[in-house]
Amino acid sequence: MRNLPFLPSVVMVGTALPALFFAPGVFATDYMSLAEAHRLMFPNATLFTPQTLKLSAEQIKQIEAKSGAAVNTTFWKVVAAKAGDQLLGYVVSDAVIGKFQLISYAVGFTPDGRIRDVEILSYREAHGGEVRSKPWRNQFVGKSAAAALAIDNDIANISGATMSCTHLTDGIRRITHYVQVALIAN
């Protein structure tokens, strides 16, 4: 048999060939910047001040115990929203893995630690973008670290977006405990 110049000369065995031709694509959509989310969540704010917070080992243990998940603050950015000297609340941004790709999001909190808003900043999955819908995100509004914040408990799942729903909900639950332990309790 003669080698054709346009065919690979490597023979693929097993399941590698289908994976080569049917690998999931990456669909990245940036919906808004973090600064735009700040202004959307707190339109009356005149100042957004970054907060530098270093968690103690005890605070990390508290957050992990209460949220049921490991704490990784790599992506967390905290900003205080103010109107003059009055604190309007906080915005915490984070990123979680959906099914395969990162979902970047921001959560706005009232000064007492209740969720004011959730915004999806970037969504990179091929499916499940319905988590960006206002009705789904509104399920979090008004809840705090005292809420269960769990899929099929107080947060509804979206068929076809189960991984994105679950991971976003887990991330938001972790952040609510972070806000309670690091910002409200202090």
Side-chain angles (χ1 to χ4, degrees), residues 80-101:
K82 297 181 178 181
D85 290 338
Q86 180 188 6
L87 176 65
L88 301 176
Y90 302 97
V91 178
V92 182
S93 62
D94 189 20
V96 295
I97 297 289
K99 186 172 184 178
F100 300 110
Q101 304 295 325

Side-chain angles (χ1 to χ4, degrees), residues 3 6 14 23 26 34 49 84-85 121 129 133 136 147 153 160 165 181:
N3 272 346
F6 57 90
V26 176
L34 186 52
T49 308
D85 290 338
L121 306 177
S133 73
W136 190 79
N153 184 331
C165 288
V181 169

Side-chain angles (χ1 to χ4, degrees), residues 86-175:
Q86 180 188 6
L87 176 65
L88 301 176
Y90 302 97
V91 178
V92 182
S93 62
D94 189 20
V96 295
I97 297 289
K99 186 172 184 178
F100 300 110
Q101 304 295 325
L102 281 177
I103 302 168
S104 300
Y105 65 102
V107 184
F109 290 90
T110 62
D112 68 350
R114 295 199 170 279
I115 295 173
R116 178 183 170 111
D117 197 1
V118 174
E119 290 293 339
I120 305 300
L121 306 177
S122 297
Y123 193 84
R124 297 167 180 88
E125 296 285 355
H127 301 287
E130 298 87 351
V131 295
R132 189 169 176 267
S133 73
K134 192 68 171 165
W136 190 79
R137 293 180 294 116
N138 277 345
Q139 296 177 90
F140 295 94
V141 174
K143 295 187 176 165
S144 68
L149 292 177
I151 293 294
D152 295 331
N153 184 331
D154 59 342
I155 303 298
N157 188 28
I158 298 171
S159 179
T162 299
M163 300 289 280
S164 295
C165 288
T166 300
H167 296 162
L168 276 166
T169 300
D170 292 348
I172 293 167
R173 182 178 57 251
R174 218 176 3 254
I175 288 174

Side-chain angles (χ1 to χ4, degrees), residues 59-76:
Q59 287 174 315
I60 290 172
K61 284 181 190 176
Q62 285 178 0
I63 296 166
E64 289 177 341
K66 292 176 180 182
S67 71
V71 171
N72 177 355
T73 61
T74 304
F75 294 105
W76 291 353

